[in-house]
Amino acid sequence: MRQGFRGEIISFTDDPSFYGDKAVSHQKDGIIVVENGRVIARDKAEIIKTQFPDLAITDCSGYLIMPGFIDSHIHYTQLDCIAAGGETLLGWLEKKVFPTEQKFSDKAYATETADFFLKECLRNGTTSALVFATSYYQSVEALYNAALKADMRIITGNVLMDLAPKALANKIPKSLDDSEKLIQNWQGHGRLGYAVTPRFALTSSSEQLAGAGKILGEYPDILMQTHLAETKDECAAVKERFPKAGDYLEVYENFGLLTDRSVFAHCLYLSDSAFHRLAKSGAGIAFCPTSNLFLGSGLFNLEKARQHKITIGLGSDVGAGTSFSLLATMAEAYKTCRLQNYNLDPFYAFYLATLGGARLLGIDRYVGSLGMGQEADFILVNPAATPLLDRRTKNASLEEKLFALEIMGDDRAIAATYIKGKLAFGGIDPPPYLETILRDRW
């Protein structure tokens, strides 16, 4: 079925921090045409109506039509320890995260959590994500099954951590064999992808890290995700364990894990040399400001990473991160930048949450910009979702609207989420503040 959606359309063709207005695709009164789950046309409303005179059109007036958000780093298995505070990273992992992740030995718990997680993503406008599961094989399968049912573009992997509490430790060779089995069963199935997932250098033996690098080299279509230089204590512990490595990044580099398919979360404490090597390799960074601030880890230098032309996306990092909303994540990203005396421009912020994230995950040919032939994953964003937003954005320019949403937006601003042109959450003019009614719309 062919259908049109009419409203104010905003997306990006490139990085606006480098290319300015040329990278912004904006139709104040536009229509996107969707057929068989893909965008087949997009232009000003008057042009589309001439080209498709019999087109059934959904009126989205008053909303911004945007590509669905892409979360570059999130732990679905930490959902039930979100807002568990009082610790820095290493203590938080030991006391809060590892006990929570042990619950995924229960298949029913994993299945229910995966379903809730994806619904929460959709409620917040997130349509694609790079996701951490746990070291339990069934936690990965639970997420894949839920994503297949929701028809979402989800990339995940079996967490490799043989140096971990006994209940979570997945030893080699089984952990590596499980990874290969998951790749063979799920990679490319529906809209699903696989990422080799060593938790971080401290939780894997050298043999396991080497095995992860070998798998990454053998399967050219998969990604690698891990954590890098999140806290000073972590960096010191890595230096103690790997004294011959020049820096933390070199540990991954030595095991074949620094490639153009590698996504490193956090990267708060990197030298200029490490930034340069990341850029040269084509690897990218997931910027997770709510997590960095919540745990007191530090401030990511977005401007330095940008100047090195490193591919960057936004990550909510739930559960150290405090919200599924990439709008709320943008607000914390802005504050992180201001604390370092530079600004996060709203166009760049929304680029990071859409096309930037798609490029980081290597899925920009499918999603991220509402371009011709792309899968029609998009959201309706309401700049008047609250009385204060309404007052602030009334008669505002596009830049002012986006900045207000960047700073004050959250899940309430997501009026609807569409997956391949089909409504997956919300709808036009959802009843405000009636969460029970919204839940009934799944």
Side-chain angles (χ1 to χ4, degrees):
M1 179 182 174
R2 183 179 293 173
Q3 188 172 2
F5 298 85
R6 181 175 183 174
E8 186 170 7
I9 309 172
I10 171 77
S11 67
F12 304 92
T13 58
D14 217 318
D15 184 340
S17 72
F18 290 111
Y19 297 99
D21 292 346
K22 293 180 181 178
V24 181
S25 178
H26 176 225
Q27 291 83 40
K28 182 150 182 81
D29 180 18
I31 296 175
I32 59 170
V33 183
V34 177
E35 187 173 46
N36 297 324
R38 295 184 179 274
V39 177
I40 65 166
R42 168 185 170 178
D43 213 322
K44 294 178 181 178
E46 59 192 40
I47 295 174
I48 293 294
K49 288 172 73 175
T50 300
Q51 293 176 338
F52 301 89
D54 300 321
L55 182 67
I57 297 175
T58 299
D59 185 2
C60 306
S61 300
Y63 297 99
L64 299 176
I65 302 175
M66 297 183 181
F69 291 147
I70 296 168
D71 196 324
S72 300
H73 181 72
I74 184 169
H75 296 252
Y76 102 86
T77 51
Q78 293 177 18
L79 187 149
D80 287 333
C81 63
I82 192 171
E87 298 286 344
T88 56
L89 172 66
L90 298 180
W92 179 77
L93 286 171
E94 179 184 352
K95 297 176 184 178
K96 309 294 175 69
V97 173
F98 291 158
T100 298
E101 291 192 355
Q102 288 177 34
K103 297 177 183 178
F104 286 83
S105 61
D106 180 346
K107 184 176 181 180
Y109 177 80
T111 299
E112 185 276 331
T113 304
D115 186 59
F116 183 94
F117 168 80
L118 292 181
K119 288 177 179 178
E120 194 67 9
C121 285
L122 292 169
R123 194 173 70 82
N124 284 276
T126 296
T127 54
S128 298
L130 178 59
V131 186
F132 264 67
T134 72
S135 52
Y136 296 115
Y137 185 96
Q138 64 195 26
S139 71
V140 186
E141 288 218 309
L143 182 59
Y144 274 143
N145 280 311
L148 193 63
K149 183 171 63 176
D151 203 15
M152 293 175 68
R153 190 165 282 283
I154 296 294
I155 305 168
T156 189
N158 193 36
V159 177
L160 302 174
M161 45 188 296
D162 57 347
L163 304 180
K166 184 176 180 180
L168 287 172
N170 54 358
K171 302 296 184 180
I172 54 174
K174 186 177 185 305
S175 59
L176 301 174
D177 291 342
D178 283 349
S179 296
E180 292 210 61
K181 184 178 177 182
L182 286 163
I183 293 167
Q184 291 159 10
N185 289 347
W186 292 99
Q187 169 69 24
H189 186 44
R191 305 174 77 197
L192 306 176
Y194 193 84
V196 176
T197 307
R199 184 175 215 112
F200 67 137
L202 293 177
T203 50
S204 285
S205 65
S206 294
E207 291 79 11
Q208 192 175 60
L209 290 170
K214 183 172 182 290
I215 291 172
L216 183 63
E218 289 176 351
Y219 294 91
D221 295 331
I222 66 172
L223 301 185
M224 192 286 300
Q225 61 175 340
T226 192
H227 302 83
L228 172 63
E230 187 174 354
T231 70
K232 290 181 179 179
D233 287 347
E234 170 205 359
C235 291
V238 169
K239 183 63 178 175
E240 182 178 355
R241 184 175 156 205
F242 299 95
K244 294 183 180 180
D247 58 22
Y248 195 162
L249 180 63
E250 190 175 313
V251 173
Y252 293 124
E253 197 171 3
N254 289 341
F255 290 111
L257 295 170
L258 178 61
T259 75
D260 60 359
R261 292 176 285 126
S262 301
V263 178
F264 295 96
H266 306 299
C267 300
L268 273 58
Y269 300 100
L270 296 184
S271 65
D272 285 337
S273 169
F275 274 118
H276 174 73
R277 281 149 43 221
L278 276 169
K280 185 177 180 180
S281 72
I285 296 172
F287 175 23
C288 307
T290 69
S291 170
N292 302 152
L293 295 173
F294 176 73
L295 293 176
S297 302
L299 305 175
F300 173 63
N301 196 331
L302 176 63
E303 180 62 13
K304 180 177 282 191
R306 189 193 69 82
Q307 288 173 355
H308 278 86
K309 297 185 179 180
I310 296 170
T311 306
I312 307 163
L314 280 180
S316 66
D317 197 21
V318 170
T322 53
S323 174
F324 275 76
S325 172
L326 287 187
L327 292 173
T329 303
M330 290 178 200
E332 300 309 293
Y334 178 84
K335 296 169 192 174
T336 295
C337 294
R338 285 305 313 142
L339 286 168
Q340 298 171 92
N341 298 312
Y342 57 90
N343 289 326
L344 176 57
D345 172 88
F347 291 107
Y348 185 45
F350 278 88
Y351 164 81
L352 292 175
T354 55
L355 181 58
R359 287 179 168 178
L360 178 63
L361 306 191
I363 57 175
D364 50 305
R365 62 190 181 277
Y366 304 115
V367 294
S369 60
L370 295 178
M372 291 307 128
Q374 283 204 327
E375 296 160 349
D377 291 355
F378 62 93
I379 55 178
L380 304 185
V381 180
N382 184 3
T386 68
L388 184 57
L389 269 172
D390 185 24
R391 184 182 180 95
R392 181 64 182 85
T393 60
K394 193 170 290 182
N395 302 317
S397 67
L398 176 62
E399 183 174 4
E400 290 171 328
K401 283 182 186 177
L402 292 180
F403 188 67
L405 286 163
E406 175 187 344
I407 301 304
M408 297 191 292
D410 54 28
D411 57 302
R412 292 169 294 177
I414 307 301
T417 302
Y418 289 81
I419 296 292
K420 293 176 70 175
K422 296 180 179 179
L423 184 66
F425 164 77
I428 305 298
D429 295 323
Y433 315 119
L434 296 180
E435 291 296 319
T436 55
I437 291 179
L438 288 176
R439 283 197 295 270
D440 289 340
R441 291 192 178 194
W442 291 119

